[in-house]
Amino acid sequence: MSQRHAVVVGAGIGGLTAAVALHRRGWRVTVCERAPEPQAAGAGIVLAPNALHAFEAIGFDARTAAGRAVPAALGLRRRDGRWLSRAGTAAIAARYGFPPLAVFRPSLAAGLTAALPAGTVRHGAAVDSVEDPDGSPVVHTSEGELSADVVLAADGIHSPTRRRFFPDHPGLRYSGETAWRTVLPASGADLPEAAETWGRGERFGIVPLADGRVYAYATAVVPEGYRPADVRAELLRRYGTWHDPIPALLERIDPAAVLRHDLYDLAAPLPRHHRGRLAWLGDAAHAMTPNLGQGGCQAVEDAVVVAHLLDGARTPADVSTALAAYSTARCARTDAIRVRARRAGRMAALRNPLAAAVRDLAVRAAPAGPALRAMDGLLGGFVLPPRPRPVPAEA
């Protein structure tokens, strides 16, 4: 293994972070991405302090690589605009080292790609299968076969590799909600304040981006596969009477630029995040609902941890040992966050008027200090585990 080669399946944020982390540790990396070209449209992402600490561990500055970034402490509001809670960025930064930063997701992906050698990311290279991860892994793609010393599957929430190697796993669970996401130009000189507004079975989020645009998202409790014919009319019907600036943002929506996804998470945790010299990360390993804003952040943590553990791997046995250590390091944390996100989503999606009113009252009454400390395990929970000892060579 004098020239260690890693194949990463998927060029999302987790896959690209893994590629950058491994490249900076001397690995040759090939990223296979099914899409024919980088995504130009898309949504925003809020990088929580734990993800920013993970990026810092590999020497990647997400604050500048994505162009610009703005602090994005998220408050909660009612439909009439009344605040339920507000968290200042200064308090978050003082406690966790960084404030949350909002960036345009395609810009972050472009910044990560720019940190890799030209040709590392192969768009239009669909991965058909991965063979023999316990022996010498071979990745079959639409452009031919690739031999690898390690394969990292970052192939998303519907991960084909996960389905193949965990055929008895129950798969995904529909959360009961669908989501619409888009990026809009802001009106006037001032960007709106970041906030998520809770109704009854409906939510609307506003996250200002540094380039003068606004990332807007909405969720609603609807049947799985719900597809309104007129997206703008549907959103105006649901949220058009909510507080400013929500109605004005809805009027500027381009329906063709709206991303719509049903929200899923894994019905049960995977028994492990690896097999032999193949490992899963991000949504492929622990798909979670976006209620805590941790899906992408946990993918970044995964990528940095697995690259850290692979750093000293010089033999096939070392790689297998490193990936087993990765499973040990990541399974419990990511599943706890998956469950916590599910519970948070249930509370936010309450439809009963009395239950929603009690929820809002409880959020308003919660003291700011203890509420922030309750996030310690989440926002302050990123650590690099100790590397395993190399496997002794056979005599």
Side-chain angles (χ1 to χ4, degrees), residues 104-326:
F104 187 43
R105 186 181 287 262
S107 296
L108 177 59
L112 287 163
T113 302
L116 294 166
T120 297
V121 181
R122 300 184 182 180
H123 285 277
V127 172
D128 300 319
S129 64
V130 179
E131 301 291 344
D132 197 16
D134 295 313
S136 300
V138 176
V139 181
H140 299 272
T141 81
S142 56
E143 297 184 345
E145 294 183 356
L146 293 169
S147 297
D149 298 304
V150 68
V151 179
L152 302 180
D155 49 348
I157 190 169
H158 299 287
S159 170
T161 57
R162 182 186 67 226
R163 292 198 302 269
R164 177 176 180 185
F165 288 101
F166 296 98
D168 297 326
H169 188 272
L172 299 174
R173 178 201 69 101
Y174 178 51
S175 70
E177 292 183 278
T178 198
W180 297 271
R181 298 177 296 157
T182 192
V183 174
L184 302 165
S187 61
D190 296 326
L191 288 171
E193 188 171 354
E196 183 172 283
T197 301
W198 287 358
R200 295 194 296 270
E202 297 171 333
R203 288 176 282 167
F204 197 98
I206 300 170
V207 180
L209 302 175
D211 61 6
R213 295 183 295 172
V214 175
Y215 167 42
Y217 62 90
T219 71
V221 176
V222 295
E224 186 176 10
Y226 180 73
R227 299 287 193 281
D230 188 328
V231 172
R232 183 190 286 111
E234 175 76 5
L235 296 177
L236 282 168
R237 178 181 70 81
R238 289 182 178 275
Y239 313 100
T241 61
W242 290 23
H243 65 80
D244 291 333
I246 293 174
L249 291 172
L250 293 175
E251 291 292 347
R252 296 199 296 276
I253 278 181
D254 174 8
V258 176
L259 305 176
R260 195 216 63 83
H261 295 98
D262 287 337
L263 300 181
Y264 298 91
D265 64 2
L266 281 190
L270 293 181
R272 59 192 180 279
H273 290 178
H274 81 290
R275 175 181 162 180
R277 288 194 276 163
L278 166 64
W280 289 264
L281 60 89
D283 283 343
H286 44 69
M288 60 185 68
T289 56
N291 301 298
L292 298 176
Q294 279 290 313
C297 295
Q298 288 304 305
V300 171
E301 284 194 18
D302 287 345
V304 173
V305 168
V306 75
H308 165 76
L309 292 170
L310 285 167
D311 192 25
R314 303 298 175 190
T315 68
D318 288 346
V319 170
S320 297
T321 300
L323 296 188
Y326 163 71

Side-chain angles (χ1 to χ4, degrees), residues 46-50 52-53 63 70-73 88-102 379:
V46 176
L47 298 173
N50 55 301
L52 294 170
H53 280 293
R63 293 164 291 184
V70 293
T89 56
I92 295 175
R95 189 167 188 84
Y96 302 114
F98 293 106
L101 296 178
L379 304 184

